[in-house]
Amino acid sequence: MTTADPTATRARTALRDRAGAVSAELLDRLADPAATMAATRIPAEAADDGRPEGIWAELTLGSGSPGLSLAFSGGTGPATDRPARAHRYLAVATRAAADGGTVPSGIFKGPGALACAVLVAHRATGGYVSALQRLDAYQRDLVRTALPDVPDGPLTTIGHYEVVRGMTGVGRYLLARADTCTDELTAVLGYLTRLALGDVAHPQGHRVPRWWALDAPRIGAEATLPGGHLNLGLSHGVAGPLALLSLAWQQGVRLPGQRDAIASAADLLTRWAVRDAHGVYWPGHLSLAQWLAGPEAYAEPAGWPSWCYGAPGVSRALQLAGRALGRPDWTALATASVERLLALPLDQWGVTDHALCHGWAGALHQLGRLAEDFTVGDHEAPAARRTGGHAHRALTDRLAVRRDEVATRLLDAFRPDAPFGYRFTMTRVPFASDVSGYLDGAAGVALALDAYATGGATTGWDLPLLLS
């Protein structure tokens, strides 16, 4: 099936219409904050003690009011009541912040999550100017008081620099507000640039990248990684700062050493692009033993496609870096990792969730973002453009077909009997939890389906994902 086939075109149009309808249905189910909070839970049949458990987490993009507001501010559908619905959630989040929910954090929790939600609402409506100014001031103060030092040895935690908890997430907001947060943005980019350059001595006597952290990817799992770890993912690892530094470079925000920092991070991910029978993928993180053994000895299976770890999240970071610095080798590696996802049957992807973070919705949207840049760049020679254009168009067509397949799988999973139309995997029981939020639940599914239905248009709701 190709995009030039009239039958295929009609089928794709019908599928996108269906995606738009399901997205609108999800938004209707999420319209009332009080009802949404009450229904966000692990049902009794999936709870450890047989009783329903509430899992609403206010002031988060995972499952809280800021993320729910994004579902209404970020969509592109024609509904005239979306700004009012977004405002209801922003009002709840603002009250929570005023009541003391202001623990310093990244962009996914606390005031950072509220700031992101208000920014997207401002872009959609032109309002919230004074609120945005107050949140700008808060983020500026956060950087001045909480920007970590760059130590002479490994980091104590990835939480210092990662997207979800750390300075990369803060930096993404600051980049979007570069005109009002210039000094603080420069400080964050300088911090990440220093982390990207050089190596340090590990306590066990080896040289490791400055990104090395002595904690574990998950709190409580430190015993499994006694020497700490190197995290390569977009949400918690090296790919996140790479994406931010590259986006800043494209936006004209360029510091001394930043080009070298982008190259260093991209080269690290290039070195650790390992292969299986289907193609290129990335480890989520590396133990000290794995780092010392090198990529040639890496034998762990690939994880499922996700935003947080591996492709297509890392793929997008490399694509952004290649676009920023005119490096077709990095964009070619990103393309190779997508080729693996095209070769691997969906049933072998191992996806066990529907959400943006590591589910079908995330795969659908990220593949769309990657497809936007699968063209031969202007930096390439005319001969390359002539010979490469057909191959890239073929890849784009194949990717469109794969997105249709992912969308079909996501739409077929819609459950009218579930409070939010979908069940998610917040427990060991797959597809057993009623989650409403942006990163982990129905709000994110609604946004991914909306973007697919409208051909990729957004008002910046994927800003905290560092995809654009």
Side-chain angles (χ1 to χ4, degrees), residues 32 53 64 84 112 160 175 193 206 223 336 385 388 416 434:
D32 179 73
E53 177 185 348
H160 289 324
L175 180 60
T193 293
H206 307 284
R385 290 199 293 272
D434 296 314

Side-chain angles (χ1 to χ4, degrees), residues 39-422:
T40 301
R41 70 197 191 285
I42 299 173
E45 63 269 21
D48 292 337
D49 59 3
R51 293 183 295 179
E53 177 185 348
I55 51 175
W56 180 266
E58 189 50 85
L59 278 185
T60 70
L61 296 183
S63 185
S65 294
L68 267 296
S69 78
L70 287 177
F72 299 103
S73 298
T76 58
T80 58
D81 59 349
R82 288 190 179 185
R85 291 179 175 184
H87 183 77
R88 293 181 198 129
Y89 281 104
L90 289 175
V92 173
T94 301
R95 286 195 296 270
D99 289 341
T102 56
V103 177
S105 189
I107 200 171
F108 279 84
K109 186 177 181 181
L114 177 58
C116 179
V118 170
L119 172 59
V120 175
H122 167 72
R123 289 178 170 180
T125 67
Y128 302 98
V129 174
S130 60
L132 205 52
Q133 291 171 344
R134 290 193 297 272
L135 290 162
D136 284 350
Y138 181 91
Q139 295 301 92
R140 290 194 296 264
D141 186 62
L142 174 64
V143 173
R144 288 193 292 265
T145 59
L147 184 70
D149 294 325
V150 177
D152 293 331
L155 303 170
T156 56
T157 174
I158 55 175
H160 289 324
Y161 74 83
E162 66 172 29
V163 173
V164 173
R165 294 176 293 165
M167 284 296 154
T168 299
V170 173
R172 184 63 191 95
Y173 175 84
L174 298 174
L175 180 60
R177 301 289 292 165
D179 290 344
T180 59
C181 301
T182 303
D183 292 344
E184 291 74 25
L185 172 62
T186 299
V188 170
L189 295 178
Y191 166 71
L192 297 175
T193 293
R194 292 191 297 275
L195 281 181
L197 298 174
D199 54 19
V200 295
H202 190 277
Q204 297 183 22
H206 307 284
R207 303 300 295 184
V208 293
R210 287 191 182 274
W211 303 111
W212 199 275
L214 297 177
D215 63 350
R218 293 179 301 279
I219 295 173
E222 287 76 12
T224 65
L225 291 166
H229 77 294
L230 175 66
N231 202 299
L232 302 179
L234 181 56
S235 62
H236 302 295
V238 174
L242 174 62
L244 177 63
L245 291 168
S246 301
L247 288 168
W249 188 272
Q250 292 177 61
Q251 196 168 310
V253 182
R254 301 175 180 182
L255 277 62
Q258 186 175 338
R259 175 185 283 273
D260 290 340
I262 292 171
S264 176
D267 288 345
L268 177 61
L269 292 172
T270 298
R271 182 187 175 213
W272 280 95
V274 297
R275 291 182 176 271
D276 63 8
H278 299 284
V280 174
Y281 69 98
W282 284 275
H285 53 81
L286 301 169
S287 68
L288 183 60
Q290 288 170 328
W291 168 258
L292 295 174
E296 298 78 14
Y298 189 82
E300 297 292 325
W304 57 83
S306 67
W307 168 72
C308 47
Y309 284 110
V314 174
S315 313
R316 182 58 171 168
L318 276 171
Q319 191 184 59
L320 292 171
R323 187 173 69 185
L325 298 190
R327 288 288 298 266
D329 53 332
W330 297 340
T331 55
L333 181 56
T335 301
S337 69
V338 174
E339 289 277 9
R340 181 182 182 276
L341 298 181
L342 296 177
L344 189 65
L346 287 186
D347 287 339
Q348 296 181 35
W349 279 23
V351 175
T352 59
D353 201 18
H354 302 307
L356 280 179
C357 184
H358 48 260
W360 292 116
L364 177 65
H365 188 63
Q366 289 175 94
L367 291 177
R369 279 297 189 194
L370 285 160
E372 293 171 0
D373 283 356
F374 281 147
T375 56
V376 180
D378 291 337
H379 60 272
E380 296 187 30
R385 290 199 293 272
R386 287 195 299 273
T387 59
H390 294 299
H392 280 74
R393 282 193 294 274
L395 173 62
T396 301
D397 287 344
R398 290 167 55 215
L399 188 53
V401 172
R402 180 45 54 101
R403 289 191 73 217
D404 292 342
E405 294 169 350
V406 172
T408 299
R409 186 155 296 211
L410 187 57
L411 290 167
D412 287 348
F414 178 72
R415 293 181 51 176
D417 60 317
F420 306 123
Y422 287 89

